[in-house]
Amino acid sequence: MLDAVFWGVVAALSLGTADYLARTTSNAVGPFAAFTYVVMLGTLLMAAFMLVTGSELRITKFGLVMSCLHGLCVTAMSVMLYAALVRGPVSLAVPVVAAHPVLIILYEVAFGVSSLSTEQILASGLVIAGVVGTSVFSFHHDAGGGRADRTTHPRKHATLVLSLGACVAYALLVITGQAAASEMGQTSVALVGRAASAAILLAALAGGMFRLPPPSGVIRPLAAQGILDTAGYIGLLAGGSTLFPGMTAVVGSMFGFITILLARIFVREHVGILQWSSIALSFAGIAWLVQS
């Protein structure tokens, strides 16, 4: 149980920080271009890591198919999330995406992937309830000091739609990635998945679907984002080799709150009292998970 929680914490801290950086880089070069740079760096990092450590690149037919599907889902999720972060507010976008464990838990229960105790299910429910509450209350707070929130509801609705799409894609990337990792190992899946994402984006670039402007002014944030993004997905995949892969997904869903806290600290995005209450509820659920 503790190993599943550990990998979830690694994923949450890495992905939460990477997504905060994504807001800056996506504003500068666009969501598609930002993720293209990130995933190309991630592919090189994984290849270098495997070469230096002497890790074996294991390939199986089923694992290869799942790894490519994993890469497709990572691409869809990241582009939609980056677009939602650009639209904002961050406090609406990331909690919706972070609610993906409810889909994973439903999958595990339906297909008997792992057995969860009643206590663990209730604790997971607290985490998910807090995530959903944070999103709902985003529509019902002022901007502080008695001023109305200037982010219009139509814009928030667009952010919500993008975030819901990213939420579904996130659940699928965890399920496909963990299925592949059980056969090929997390490092092999991370490399093949990154390479598949890069191939998809380069094909879209060649087809004229987006432009790839030079990353002038955001080279350092993009580099940090690429490193953290890769580390986060390795954490999620490593959790797939534990007895409780769903727990890794639940704890990893806290990445959204890391992003919100960074946005609150550095760009002064307002988070209402009801949203803070929802965040506290999720932290309580995480503490319960660790104890159970």
Side-chain angles (χ1 to χ4, degrees), residues 45-58 187-188 191:
L45 287 173
M46 282 307 308
F49 173 79
M50 294 186 72
L51 184 63
V52 169
T53 60
S55 300
E56 178 188 1
L57 177 61
R58 290 187 290 165
T187 52
S188 294
L191 176 59

Side-chain angles (χ1 to χ4, degrees), residues 80-157:
M80 286 189 285
L81 174 58
Y82 288 11
L85 290 172
V86 170
R87 286 178 173 272
V90 172
S91 57
L92 170 61
V94 290
V96 174
V97 182
H100 67 272
V102 68
L103 302 178
I104 296 173
I105 289 175
L106 288 174
Y107 164 80
E108 291 189 352
V109 170
F111 292 95
V113 175
S114 65
S115 58
L116 300 175
S117 69
T118 301
E119 188 176 10
Q120 289 164 349
I121 292 173
L122 290 175
S124 300
L126 282 182
V127 177
I128 295 164
V131 167
V132 173
T134 303
S135 304
V136 171
F137 295 137
S138 175
F139 285 88
H140 302 288
H141 68 71
D142 63 25
R147 294 179 292 108
D149 185 355
R150 295 182 182 277
T151 305
T152 62
H153 278 348
R155 184 172 179 177
K156 286 184 177 181
H157 289 150

Side-chain angles (χ1 to χ4, degrees), residues 260-278:
I260 291 171
L261 289 173
L262 291 173
R264 179 71 181 92
I265 293 169
F266 292 106
V267 298
R268 310 299 297 173
E269 179 172 307
H270 178 71
V271 181
I273 186 63
L274 291 176
Q275 287 177 289
W276 283 125
S277 299
S278 298

Side-chain angles (χ1 to χ4, degrees), residues 210-264:
F210 67 96
R211 294 175 56 253
L212 192 65
S216 305
V218 288
I219 293 178
R220 289 182 180 178
L222 275 172
Q225 187 180 337
I227 294 169
L228 291 166
D229 186 77
T230 302
Y233 286 115
I234 288 176
L236 287 177
L237 295 174
S241 62
T242 68
L243 294 177
F244 300 94
M247 293 302 99
T248 296
V250 170
V251 178
S253 73
M254 294 297 291
F255 80 88
F257 298 131
I258 301 298
T259 307
I260 291 171
L261 289 173
L262 291 173
R264 179 71 181 92

